[in-house]
Amino acid sequence: MKYQRFKEQDIIEKTQDMIRLLVSRQTDSFMKQLDGGFVLIGDYDPLHIQNGPGPVSPGPLSPDPEVGGVISGEEYAVVSHERCLWVICGCFTITAYMDGRLPAASKIAFTFVWKQNEETLLLVHLNMSYNRPQPRNSGGLPETGRSIASLPAQPPSAGLETKMSLRDLDGKIHYIFPSEILYIKSDNKICHIFTAESDFPVRVTLHRLYRPPFLLIHRSYLVNRNYVREICRYQATLLNGIQIPIGKEKYMEIKKALSC
């Protein structure tokens, strides 16, 4: 019997697709990829579980049933592979952008178990843990203590940006838009990526990460120009109050760049 050899990246991309089907409420397409013995364990109320074929049929996943969600801060890690079974864990943040109201964000942790059936992958188990949405101006995430009260509430545009794939030092792969990154700090060939929700280290040079909307503000720092509130000699203050040094030789260059 012929079996396709799936790679780790195949499993990650398959999981990404299923998450997007849930968030976009494409229940029929989601259902077609479930194994006959599929079981879901999680927070049933936020997931809006609906009746359907199989033991459990998930419906739309969104902070508000009337509002779509934007996915960000994705992390994926294949933790087990034995014969025909793949287990992948991770998390992502879903943000609802509501007209006339503050955006709400929730972080969701998940575990997917895939079974290979000849040349097809079928989902046999899904576990999701959902934190109820909190207003983005509530003073930041409790686990980090960072204030994100003043960060712009604009979803990344997939039509204008391409997601970056960054593997951290623990082997987790993060898929994020450049616009989600506040700043990047280089430290002895390790770059620390800072977003509004988290931070993580990657083994990559600062030069390889240098692209719009980042400014090389210091030989050890890239900063997202959209999050700079003010500058003075010789530091920049971000919208959330974090201060970053500006290289003396770069001050006039950065001042000119930010005025454009």
Side-chain angles (χ1 to χ4, degrees), residues 8-170:
E8 179 177 310
Q9 188 62 32
D10 297 326
I11 307 302
I12 291 173
E13 291 175 359
K14 186 74 170 177
T15 303
Q16 281 185 297
D17 291 342
M18 291 294 272
I19 288 173
R20 277 152 181 74
L21 289 177
L22 277 172
V23 172
S24 61
R25 309 184 180 106
Q26 299 181 51
T27 309
D28 291 341
S29 297
F30 184 92
M31 293 288 297
K32 292 177 181 178
Q33 302 179 65
L34 303 183
D35 180 75
F38 172 75
V39 175
L40 182 146
I41 300 175
D43 299 323
Y44 286 10
D45 178 53
L47 285 171
H48 304 293
I49 300 303
Q50 300 174 344
N51 293 326
V56 182
S57 171
L61 182 156
S62 173
D64 189 314
E66 302 299 324
V67 181
V70 174
I71 298 173
S72 63
E74 297 169 82
E75 300 179 19
Y76 299 85
V78 175
V79 297
S80 178
H81 174 213
E82 183 178 351
R83 291 189 177 183
C84 299
L85 289 179
W86 296 81
V87 180
I88 180 169
C89 298
C91 62
F92 63 91
T93 297
I94 182 168
T95 305
Y97 294 87
M98 312 172 209
D99 293 338
R101 288 183 285 169
L102 293 170
S106 289
K107 194 166 187 176
I108 300 173
F110 62 81
T111 300
F112 279 66
V113 179
W114 294 96
K115 182 175 74 173
Q116 183 172 353
N117 182 9
E118 296 185 1
E119 297 187 3
T120 304
L121 285 171
L122 296 176
L123 188 63
V124 297
H125 175 73
L126 170 57
N127 186 309
M128 305 194 82
S129 176
Y130 187 102
N131 293 325
R132 291 185 179 275
Q134 299 295 326
R136 291 294 293 271
N137 72 339
S138 62
L141 300 177
E143 62 269 27
T144 62
R146 284 195 194 87
S147 172
I148 55 174
S150 302
L151 297 185
Q154 297 179 353
S157 171
L160 300 176
E161 284 192 300
T162 301
K163 279 193 173 184
M164 303 169 68
S165 174
L166 301 171
R167 184 187 295 270
D168 66 25
L169 299 186
D170 293 326

Side-chain angles (χ1 to χ4, degrees), residues 5 8 32 88 128 146 156 167 176 180 197 215 225 239 258:
R5 295 179 63 88
E8 179 177 310
K32 292 177 181 178
I88 180 169
M128 305 194 82
R146 284 195 194 87
R167 184 187 295 270
I176 56 178
E180 296 177 67
E197 289 85 13
L215 297 174
R225 61 181 298 145
L239 293 174
L258 289 173

